Amino acid sequence: MAVAVAVTTAATGLAGTAFAGPSKGVERSAASAASNATVVVEAARTAAFAHASASGVSKGDALHAQDVMIDPEGARHVRFVRTHNDLPVLGGDLIVHLDRGLAYTGVTRAADHAVKPAAEAKLTADQAAAKAAQAAKGDAGGAQLVVDARGETSALAYQVTVTDKDSSRTVVVDAVTGKVRSNTPDRDEFLSPKLLDTLRERGETLDPATGTASGSAVPGLVGSGASGVTHYPTSAKGTGKTLFVGNVGLTTTATSRGHYQLKDPSRYGTETRDAKGSYTEKFGAGSKFTNTTNVWGNGKTTSRVSAAADAQYGVTKTLDFYKNTFKRKGIAGNSKAAQAMVHWGKKVANAFWDPTCNCMLYGDGDGEMFKKPLVVLDVTGHELTHGVVEATANLQPTIVDSEGNQYGEPGSLNESLADIFGSNVEFYAKNTKDTPDYLVGEKLGLAQKFLRRLDHPSLDKLEGTIDYWSPDTYFTEVHAGSGVSSHAYYLLAEGSGKKKIGSVTYNSPTYHGITVKGIGRTKATAIYYRALTRYMVSTTDFHQARLATLKAAKDLYGANSTEYKTVDKSWAAVNVTAANTPRAHH
C-alpha cells in the first residue's frame, strides 16, 4: 500500500467527483455536480480553518480536496489531504462534515497533533535517497521533502520510491536524523510473505480445481442499430471459458467485422492484457487479447486466455457490484477503466492491486507450491477493494518489517474491508460455479478449505487470524488482525450462533457469549461502505471504526434504530467498546 500523498487542487481534482449515497438519490449532471462541488469544497475549507482547534489546521496549512460526497438526506462530506508550507503531509488527511445548509457539523482527522515539523533538514536529498536505497535494497528515485505526521509528533522527512525488477517500495527517511521512518510496499499482496513462509514450512501444495461449465458460446454484436449498418468499434457479446467460474458472458469490443478485443466499452473501457512474463507496471506495455471468435479461453491453463477470461469477469463483476450497490462509478469513483494484466512476472504465486499501474496484476503461480494463476473471483474483489480504500480512507499499516509483513490496526481494517466487500462481490455475482459465502479464498485448494472466514476468523490456522480485539491487536500482522472487524461485520449481517447459508454452515462465537441478531447483509454492507467513505481516514483503528459505523448507521437508519443498536452490539461482541478505548490511539 502506497503512502505517497497525491496533491490536487479543487479546480482540477474533482472533475470525477461522485455524489454517492444509498440506493435512493438523484443523479446530477456533470456540470451541476462540478459546480456544487466547488461551493461545498470552499465551505468545508472555510469551516476547517474556522474550527482549527477541532480540525487541527494551522498557519502554513493548505487543504486540497480529494472527494466530495453529498448524501440524499442532506449531509455533505469533503475529504482533504494537506500540505504544510507547500510540503505534502503524510497522515494529515481529514474529512470535514457539513449539513444541508453548509454549516459545519464536525471533522474526522488522522493526525491528532500539529503537523508543523520542529526542525530543518540536515540531510540532502541525495543522502536520503542513498539511505532509502540501502533500506529497500533497490534503485532510488528522487527524494521529495514531506512532513510525516503519522506518529505522535510531526517530523520533516524525505519520501523516496525505491524499485527493483519486480516491485517498488515507498521509503520515508527522517530529514534530520537519517532514520528510516517507514519502508512500505507499494503493492498489496493477496498472500503475505508470512503466509507464504507458513505454506512452505508445511509443504502445502495448492492446485485448485479448474474446468468449464456446460454451455455454448454466444458471440455477437450488441444492438447494431435500426439501419443495419454497424459502426466500429462497437460492443459485442462474447463468452469467457474461465478456469474457475465456468462459461460466462463477457461484453467485448468488435474492432471490425469478425475481429474482437477483450475490452468492455460498457464499463469505461475496462480491459485485461497479457504481461507475457514481464514485470512491467505500465498497462500500455501489456499485449492486447484479440481473436476472431469472441470466445476467450478453454477452461484450462493450456490456453493463456483462460486466466484473462477469469480476470475480466472478476473485474467487471466488481465494478458492477460497486456501481449497482453504491452508485460508485469505477474503483476511484471517477468513471475510469479498471485494468488487469495476467501472466505477470515469472513464477509469481500472488495477485496484487498495484497503484503504480492502477491495475490488477496476476501471477501464474510458482509451479511448485501454487500451480494455477490467482484469478479467483473473491481474490479480484478483495484486491480491487484495496483500490477503493486507497481512493477513500487510504488506510495505512503502522509497522512494516524487513520481510514486507505489515502490522497495525488501520492496515488490519484495510484487509478486513477487502474481505468484506470481496465476499459481497461473490454474493452479487451469484455464479453457480463459485457459490457466494463468507469464506475468502475457498477455491484456492488449501487444506483448511479456505484462507479466511468472516464468521469465526480464528478457524484460520494458517495466518492465526483473531476473533476479538485486545491491546495486542495493534502489533498483529494485518491479515491476522483483520478478523476483528470482519467478525463484527458478519455478526451485524447474520448474527451470532449457528446458521446455514447455501451449502456452508456457520457458527459465529462472541466475546462473553453476547447474543447478536443480524440486520441482514444488505444493510450491514451499506453501513460499512458509508463508514469507509465518510468517516474513516488513513489512521482509523478498530475503536474509531466502531464510531464510524455508528455514525453511518445513524445517517442511514437513525440513532434510535435497531440497526444502530446492532452495530454497537456487534462491536461489543468482538470486544471493541467505548469503555476499553485506548487512551492514546496509536
Side-chain angles (χ1 to χ4, degrees), residues 324-356:
N324 294 329
T325 308
F326 308 119
K327 298 188 183 300
R328 186 176 188 85
K329 297 180 179 179
I331 297 305
N334 57 6
S335 298
K336 291 187 177 180
Q339 299 167 330
M341 283 196 286
V342 293
H343 310 303
W344 187 83
K346 301 185 187 305
K347 295 187 176 182
V348 174
N350 227 320
F352 318 86
W353 164 255
D354 189 325
T356 301

Side-chain angles (χ1 to χ4, degrees), residues 45 72 94 213 219 282 301:
R45 184 180 285 114
L94 65 155
K282 295 180 180 179
T301 55

Side-chain angles (χ1 to χ4, degrees), residues 9-224:
T9 66
T12 60
L14 294 172
T17 295
F19 289 78
S23 57
K24 59 184 179 179
V26 182
E27 291 288 336
R28 293 168 169 81
S29 68
S32 173
S35 174
N36 286 343
T38 301
V39 173
V40 174
V41 166
E42 288 308 313
R45 184 180 285 114
T46 300
F49 281 94
H51 297 83
S53 60
S55 66
V57 298
S58 60
K59 185 178 179 180
D61 286 353
L63 300 180
H64 307 269
Q66 298 296 286
D67 202 0
V68 176
M69 294 147 285
I70 297 182
D71 299 337
E73 64 272 18
R76 278 88 167 116
H77 315 265
V78 182
R79 186 181 294 276
F80 292 105
V81 294
R82 183 185 335 206
T83 56
H84 181 76
N85 292 337
D86 296 326
L87 299 181
V89 179
L90 309 182
D93 51 305
L94 65 155
I95 308 168
V96 177
H97 310 290
L98 308 171
D99 65 14
R100 186 185 298 273
L102 301 186
Y104 171 85
T105 59
V107 64
T108 305
R109 54 190 276 203
D112 59 359
H113 53 78
V115 301
K116 182 179 180 180
E120 295 183 357
K122 293 185 178 180
L123 268 69
T124 66
D126 288 345
Q127 289 172 328
K131 286 184 177 292
Q134 182 179 18
K137 299 179 176 60
D139 299 321
Q144 178 189 16
L145 270 176
V146 298
V147 177
D148 188 358
R150 295 172 296 169
E152 295 181 0
T153 59
S154 296
L156 192 63
Y158 287 99
Q159 183 171 267
V160 187
T161 298
V162 180
T163 59
D164 59 23
K165 72 168 186 174
D166 63 352
S167 66
S168 66
R169 302 175 74 90
T170 297
V171 183
V172 178
V173 179
D174 194 294
V176 178
T177 67
K179 177 184 176 181
V180 174
R181 296 178 65 86
S182 63
N183 179 1
T184 310
D186 290 334
R187 286 197 301 268
D188 183 275
E189 300 178 343
F190 183 73
L191 305 177
S192 70
K194 189 175 182 180
L195 173 61
L196 292 172
D197 287 343
T198 300
L199 291 170
R200 291 188 190 100
E201 290 170 5
R202 294 188 175 198
E204 192 164 340
T205 299
L206 312 183
D207 193 9
T210 58
T212 61
S214 60
S216 57
V218 286
L221 300 182
V222 179
S224 57

Side-chain angles (χ1 to χ4, degrees), residues 30 67 97 146 205 243 247-248 318 322 340 402 420 425 474 521 540:
D67 202 0
H97 310 290
V146 298
T205 299
L243 295 174
N247 287 358
V248 296
T318 303
Y322 277 106
S402 60
I420 289 167
V425 170
Y474 179 75
R521 182 174 47 81
T540 297

Side-chain angles (χ1 to χ4, degrees), residues 195 198-199 202-208 369-370 439-453 459-462:
L195 173 61
T198 300
L199 291 170
R202 294 188 175 198
E204 192 164 340
T205 299
L206 312 183
D207 193 9
M369 184 178 70
F370 203 101
L439 311 179
V440 178
E442 72 278 6
K443 293 183 74 71
L444 297 182
L446 291 161
Q448 69 179 23
K449 307 299 183 185
F450 54 85
L451 179 55
R452 289 182 295 276
R453 58 187 299 157
L459 292 178
D460 165 27
K461 305 303 181 184
L462 285 170

Side-chain angles (χ1 to χ4, degrees), residues 381-402:
H382 173 106
E383 290 300 322
L384 285 176
T385 296
H386 281 308
V388 174
V389 173
E390 180 192 18
T392 53
N394 195 24
L395 292 156
Q396 295 292 332
T398 49
I399 306 167
V400 182
D401 68 17
S402 60

